[in-house]
Amino acid sequence: MSETSPAAPPPGPPLRLLQQIAAYRTSHCIRTAVELGIPALLQEAPQTAANLAERIGGKADLLARLLDHLVNEEVIGRDDTGRYLALPATRALVPGHPHSLVPWVRFELDPLHGRAWEQLGEQIKVGTPAFELAHGSPFFSWLGQDEAAQQRFDIQMRAIAMALIGIAVRHIQFAAGETIVDIGGGDGSLLAEMLSRNPGTTGVLFELPRATEALNPRFVELMQAGRAALKHGSFFEEIPSGGDTYVFSRILHDFDDAAAGRILGNASAATKRHERFVIVDIMVDPARAKPNETSQDLLMMVLMGGRERSAGEFSQLLAANGFATASVTPTASPFHILEFRHGPK
Ligand SMILES: C[S@@+](CC[C@H](N)C(=O)[O-])C[C@H]1O[C@@H](n2cnc3c(N)ncnc32)[C@H](O)[C@@H]1O
């Protein structure tokens, strides 16, 4: 009788992979719960599926199945009597909550983006951004024609600016009398924050024209007070001259090195040599070992052909365009502040 070792059990399915494949289901459940207004209803009081279904005008048995999945994913809670209730994650899905992720849900899970992701393989083959392959127009040109998508984008940008970048820009020192030029400054939220925190400064918001201008009310007040101005234009054509500090908050990561180089070239042409420039951006781990950062990098790639860079990669990009990095400062937010100046001639 020959001795055989017991056969190794057949390998099971790789569970993590199965979860990764199916992750979109949970994303859709979260988006649906937000669109149905479920988190706000649960914030009012714990409720049964029947109550909730009545409030939204839906079918209790179908709604309960969505809610049960969100309970298992710890997005909402359920008590011993079977009533669903709000957890901290649920409250973050209520519109208007101080750190609401609703703008993020609407932006990230926008069907326009879904169709762009379908073109990722083609992007890898031909190089054109997936969004442009899917929709026939670059991301920002598309927003220029689609008011609703522009609004979703601006609301999301404002939410991050208020929650996170506002913290980051506190690390930038401005002297009274300085003119701050915020390049691609969105609805003026960030510039309003910088001007309010730095008395005696004035600011210029440089942005693409919008079909409907929906500026941050604080920024509008600063314009009325004569401390801020809005200038429309494209940084691929020109950058306004006359500033002391030029802020690029979440701008360069929207573009590949060639396009970012064109923006930097225009910054160089518009300025003399004494100005200061500041990048506010995520600066990724140079080893690309953090999944949240590589995932964010792909979002930039798919939507705009952009990329997330490490501090070293930013410095190389700057050096290739005639600038020199002066300092890199981590902040209490995920964003770093990188100051740079004209390089030696
Ligand atoms: C990622 S958002 C950042 C907004 C803002 N700086 C912030 O950090 O909250 C990029 C901004 O660049 C603007 N933008 C894109 N292309 C532009 C161009 N060619 N010229 C001027 N602004 C542009 C967009 O409209 C958008 O507001």
Side-chain angles (χ1 to χ4, degrees):
M1 207 172 87
S2 68
E3 264 193 31
T4 53
S5 54
L15 287 179
R16 176 142 186 259
L17 182 60
L18 286 172
Q19 285 163 354
Q20 287 164 333
I21 292 167
Y24 78 97
R25 299 179 197 159
T26 303
S27 305
H28 280 291
C29 288
I30 292 171
R31 185 172 69 85
T32 303
V34 166
E35 295 314 328
L36 294 175
I38 301 292
L41 293 174
L42 291 179
Q43 187 171 251
E44 284 174 12
Q47 313 194 35
T48 62
N51 274 346
L52 289 165
E54 202 182 313
R55 302 272 307 267
I56 63 165
K59 305 207 177 300
D61 55 336
L62 302 183
L63 179 61
R65 286 158 62 185
L66 177 140
L67 298 173
D68 287 341
H69 180 58
L70 292 179
V71 168
N72 289 332
E73 292 288 350
E74 298 174 6
V75 175
I76 63 176
R78 191 177 47 212
D79 68 16
D80 294 343
T81 66
R83 290 180 315 166
Y84 300 95
L85 49 88
L87 300 178
T90 326
R91 286 187 267 277
L93 294 173
V94 175
H97 181 273
H99 297 292
S100 177
L101 292 177
V102 171
W104 182 263
V105 170
R106 297 205 169 118
F107 171 75
E108 183 80 44
L109 302 174
D110 188 331
L112 275 177
H113 297 190
R115 290 198 286 282
W117 280 97
E118 287 168 15
Q119 297 297 324
L120 176 55
E122 192 59 14
Q123 172 170 12
I124 288 168
K125 287 186 197 155
V126 302
T128 309
F131 187 95
E132 201 172 328
L133 289 170
H135 300 293
S137 159
F139 183 75
F140 288 114
S141 314
W142 178 279
L143 293 190
Q145 309 147 12
D146 180 340
E147 227 174 291
Q150 176 80 64
Q151 255 182 20
R152 284 194 294 277
F153 179 79
D154 285 345
I155 290 171
Q156 157 64 356
M157 288 304 119
R158 184 191 292 193
I160 300 187
M162 306 293 262
L164 298 174
I165 305 193
I167 301 172
V169 295
R170 290 177 201 164
H171 292 257
I172 312 171
Q173 309 299 322
F174 296 100
E178 271 196 57
T179 298
I180 308 165
V181 184
D182 192 359
I183 301 295
D187 70 355
S189 297
L190 201 58
L191 185 52
E193 172 74 15
M194 292 186 279
L195 292 173
S196 307
R197 293 186 73 85
N198 294 279
T201 53
T202 52
V204 176
L205 172 67
F206 184 65
E207 248 303 339
L208 289 172
R210 300 270 201 272
T212 311
E213 202 77 66
L215 294 168
N216 182 310
R218 276 172 74 206
F219 182 74
V220 173
E221 280 169 26
L222 287 157
M223 286 209 297
Q224 285 159 354
R227 286 190 61 201
L230 169 63
K231 182 167 171 31
H232 283 135
S234 166
F235 42 55
F236 290 116
E237 307 292 327
E238 55 148 2
I239 277 189
S241 51
D244 298 298
T245 298
Y246 287 78
V247 176
F248 296 84
S249 169
R250 297 188 290 170
I251 297 303
L252 298 177
H253 79 157
D254 289 341
F255 302 102
D256 64 16
D257 285 0
R262 293 211 299 283
I263 301 171
L264 291 168
N266 286 337
S268 179
T271 48
K272 300 188 171 123
R273 296 201 60 82
H274 63 273
E275 297 85 349
R276 171 174 67 147
F277 305 87
V278 181
I279 294 173
V280 183
D281 238 319
I282 291 175
M283 307 222 171
V284 297
D285 169 22
R288 310 231 156 231
K290 298 188 178 162
N292 59 335
E293 292 181 352
T294 43
S295 148
Q296 172 71 17
D297 178 55
L298 281 166
L299 181 65
M300 295 304 111
M301 176 170 134
V302 163
L303 294 186
M304 291 153 298
R307 60 178 306 129
E308 299 295 354
R309 297 175 176 87
S310 65
E313 287 166 336
F314 270 113
S315 293
Q316 279 170 14
L317 174 70
L318 295 171
N321 289 282
F323 291 100
T325 301
S327 62
V328 180
T329 312
T331 72
S333 79
F335 296 90
H336 281 57
I337 306 286
L338 186 155
E339 292 202 11
F340 65 102
R341 293 187 175 270
H342 281 272
K345 272 203 171 162

